[in-house]
Amino acid sequence: GELVIGTVGHPNVGKSSLINSLCGKKVVSVSKTPGHTKHFQTIYLTRNVQLCDCPGLVFPSKVPKALQVLMGSFPIAQLREPYSVVQFLAERLDLPRLLDINLPEDETEWTAFLICEQFAVKKGFVTARTSRPDTYRAANMILRFALDGRICLSFTPPSFKPEDWTNHPDTRLADEVTALKKDSERSSPPLGDIDSQGSDDEFDRDENLDDDSGDAGDEDNASDETGDSDSDDDSQKGGGRSGGPSLHNKNPFAALAR
């Protein structure tokens, strides 16, 4: 007999990397870009065990488009309208505080487009022809910060109750691991730009990062001209009204618990 093992999951979660790890060498191509695996592939691990690598599966009816971008299932380079995704973040996190930007005096409320505009002004991003704030490049950088974990968005599982996990063994183990990590960071010399949200100037430490992200934003603009059109163009450029405080109760997975 022959055992066939398949890998199934969302794009960009490490299915191909898992197969490479099991084989102990690179047998399938991997990339940070979602959708890199485009064909069904089979690899023999042993004479009787066969591994199957397949493209990632996306369920648009279950996962909102904005969340697909933030979880890495949809390439940012193919996103024509990023402001609705920034709004998704702003409705759940205090983005102005995290990005260290201030509301203009002539405005009364934050919008997704205004957040991108103020962040572009802070970073000095301007368009080449009109010298206006390059909001698209700023939105692109914000989304890459979220994708890299520099802006952290998390959700609690459906029917989650904190009291059920207060004395849970997994909670104590997580606390021990966190304590060991903090002790290690205190005893180790600084390593330059650390991706944490504890510092007020974390987005200004590494100018090289800004340049790299800017180049990526320019590449995104070019790819947008030739890439596939978005099936989700319902949102307008200005996004929507986004509040300052964190709104953690807006969990897109809550409906799955019903």
Side-chain angles (χ1 to χ4, degrees):
E2 186 175 287
L3 176 63
V4 180
I5 302 175
T7 56
V8 181
H10 288 286
N12 204 29
V13 295
K15 298 183 295 297
S16 300
S17 299
L18 174 62
I19 290 181
N20 286 339
S21 299
L22 292 174
C23 294
K25 60 181 179 180
K26 184 176 180 179
V27 293
V28 292
S29 178
V30 296
S31 172
K32 292 176 64 176
T33 304
H36 181 72
T37 302
K38 295 180 174 61
H39 306 286
F40 186 83
Q41 306 174 75
T42 58
I43 299 93
Y44 277 92
L45 182 62
T46 65
R47 183 177 300 178
N48 299 324
V49 178
Q50 186 180 27
L51 303 178
C52 299
D53 188 21
C54 67
L57 302 176
V58 179
F59 302 94
S61 62
K62 297 295 184 181
V63 181
K65 182 63 170 291
L67 199 56
Q68 292 179 34
V69 175
L70 295 174
M71 67 191 294
S73 296
F74 190 90
I76 295 178
Q78 297 182 15
L79 192 64
R80 290 186 174 275
E81 190 279 294
Y83 307 105
S84 59
V85 187
V86 175
Q87 178 186 347
F88 186 92
L89 275 174
E91 289 176 344
R92 293 158 177 83
L93 299 173
D94 192 355
L95 275 186
R97 181 184 64 82
L98 294 175
L99 300 174
D100 193 21
I101 54 178
N102 299 316
L103 185 69
E105 295 180 356
D106 56 342
E107 298 287 346
T108 58
E109 289 182 299
W110 283 108
T111 64
F113 185 81
L114 185 58
I115 289 175
C116 297
E117 185 178 47
Q118 290 301 107
F119 190 58
V121 171
K122 177 185 176 183
K123 287 297 183 182
F125 298 159
V126 294
T127 56
R129 295 183 179 178
T130 60
S131 296
R132 294 181 177 178
D134 193 343
T135 56
Y136 184 90
R137 181 178 173 186
N140 187 284
M141 177 176 283
I142 293 173
L143 297 185
R144 292 188 185 278
F145 280 153
L147 197 59
D148 294 340
R150 300 187 69 178
I151 296 178
C152 186
L153 176 67
S154 61
F155 301 102
T156 57
S159 68
F160 171 79
K161 296 180 180 179
E163 56 271 15
D164 295 341
W165 293 87
T166 303
N167 297 318
H168 196 276
D170 290 347
T171 303
R172 292 196 294 267
L173 178 60
D175 292 338
E176 293 174 0
V177 172
T178 303
L180 291 174
K181 180 179 179 181
K182 291 182 178 179
D183 292 341
S184 176
E185 291 176 350
R186 294 193 194 101
S187 60
S188 302
L191 299 178
D193 187 18
I194 300 176
D195 292 338
S196 65
Q197 298 188 23
S199 175
D200 294 334
D201 60 343
E202 80 171 283
F203 298 113
D204 299 318
R205 291 184 187 175
D206 195 350
E207 294 299 329
N208 294 329
L209 177 62
D210 294 346
D211 295 338
D212 294 342
S213 299
D215 296 339
D218 295 338
E219 293 174 4
D220 294 342
N221 285 326
S223 63
D224 283 341
E225 297 175 1
T226 58
D228 298 336
S229 62
D230 251 351
S231 60
D232 224 10
D233 287 332
D234 296 337
S235 304
Q236 298 298 324
K237 185 178 182 182
R241 298 296 180 184
S242 56
S246 176
L247 301 177
H248 297 285
N249 59 331
K250 293 195 174 183
N251 190 340
F253 295 110
L256 301 180
R258 297 174 183 175

